[in-house]
Amino acid sequence: VVSGWKINGFVKYSSGIPLTITGAAGSLGTIGYAQWANSVSGVSPYLVTSPGDVTLNSSKYLNAAAFTTSTGFNFGNLNNNLSWVRGFWYKEENLTAGRVFRLTEQVKFDLSVDAANPFNFHRWNNPNTSLTSGQFGIVSSVVNSRTLQVNAAIRF
C-alpha cells in the first residue's frame, strides 16, 4: 500500500512578455503596415502595478495618457516589443501523482494524474493594447484554470 507511489512536478516563473502598443490612427494600416503608438515622456505606462489590484473587465492596467496615436504616414516612436512595458508575470505550476500496481510478476499497472495549475490560482492574461480601442489597458481574461488528466498504462 505504501510503496510504488510517485510524485513529481515543476514550476516555471518568468517576467511578463513585452507588449506592443498599437495606435493606428494614420494611413499606414490601409497599405498593410502596422502602426505603433508614440510614447509620452515622463508618464508611467502603468496605472496598476500589482495583479491583486486588478478587477477583471473594469480595472485599467495600462495608462492611456502615456501614449498617443500616430498619424499620417509614420510608424510611431515605439517599436513592436517594448521591454519597459510588460504584461503580468508568467507563473505556472504542474504536478503529477500516481502509483504503480504490480498485477503479476511481470505485469504492472501504472496510474497517474497530471494537474496543470493544481492550486487553481487565477492569473491575468495581458491587457488590451490597442490605443484606439475603448478597452485599452483593460484585462478581460484569465489564464487557464486547473486542468486534470488521468493516465493509465499496462507495462509488461
Side-chain angles (χ1 to χ4, degrees):
V1 173
V2 178
S3 67
W5 287 93
K6 59 183 178 181
I7 297 176
N8 61 41
F10 71 88
V11 295
K12 179 181 176 183
Y13 295 158
S14 63
S15 63
I17 64 166
L19 298 178
T20 300
I21 309 298
T22 58
S27 306
L28 288 177
T30 59
I31 58 173
Y33 290 96
Q35 230 168 337
W36 303 300
N38 296 305
S39 68
V40 175
S41 64
V43 180
S44 172
Y46 303 105
L47 288 174
V48 175
T49 55
S50 171
D53 295 336
V54 172
T55 303
L56 192 65
N57 290 322
S58 64
S59 301
K60 288 200 174 201
Y61 174 64
L62 295 176
N63 184 4
F67 309 99
T68 61
T69 56
S70 358
T71 57
F73 283 100
N74 65 52
F75 290 103
N77 65 10
L78 298 176
N79 67 6
N80 61 340
N81 289 316
L82 304 175
S83 62
W84 52 277
V85 180
R86 292 181 173 266
F88 294 104
W89 279 79
Y90 178 77
K91 297 179 181 181
E92 177 184 359
E93 299 89 12
N94 289 286
L95 183 64
T96 299
R99 185 161 190 267
V100 178
F101 300 93
R102 183 178 296 273
L103 300 178
T104 66
E105 184 71 26
Q106 294 181 339
V107 179
K108 296 176 184 174
F109 179 65
D110 188 349
L111 181 67
S112 63
V113 175
D114 297 331
N117 191 8
F119 310 112
N120 207 27
F121 294 132
H122 72 272
R123 297 190 172 113
W124 306 120
N125 272 330
N126 289 326
N128 182 317
T129 58
S130 175
L131 194 56
T132 57
S133 169
Q135 298 293 310
F136 176 78
I138 293 179
V139 177
S140 60
S141 62
V142 294
V143 178
N144 294 336
S145 59
R146 174 179 31 221
T147 57
L148 300 174
Q149 175 177 309
V150 177
N151 307 301
I154 295 178
R155 306 195 192 281
F156 52 93

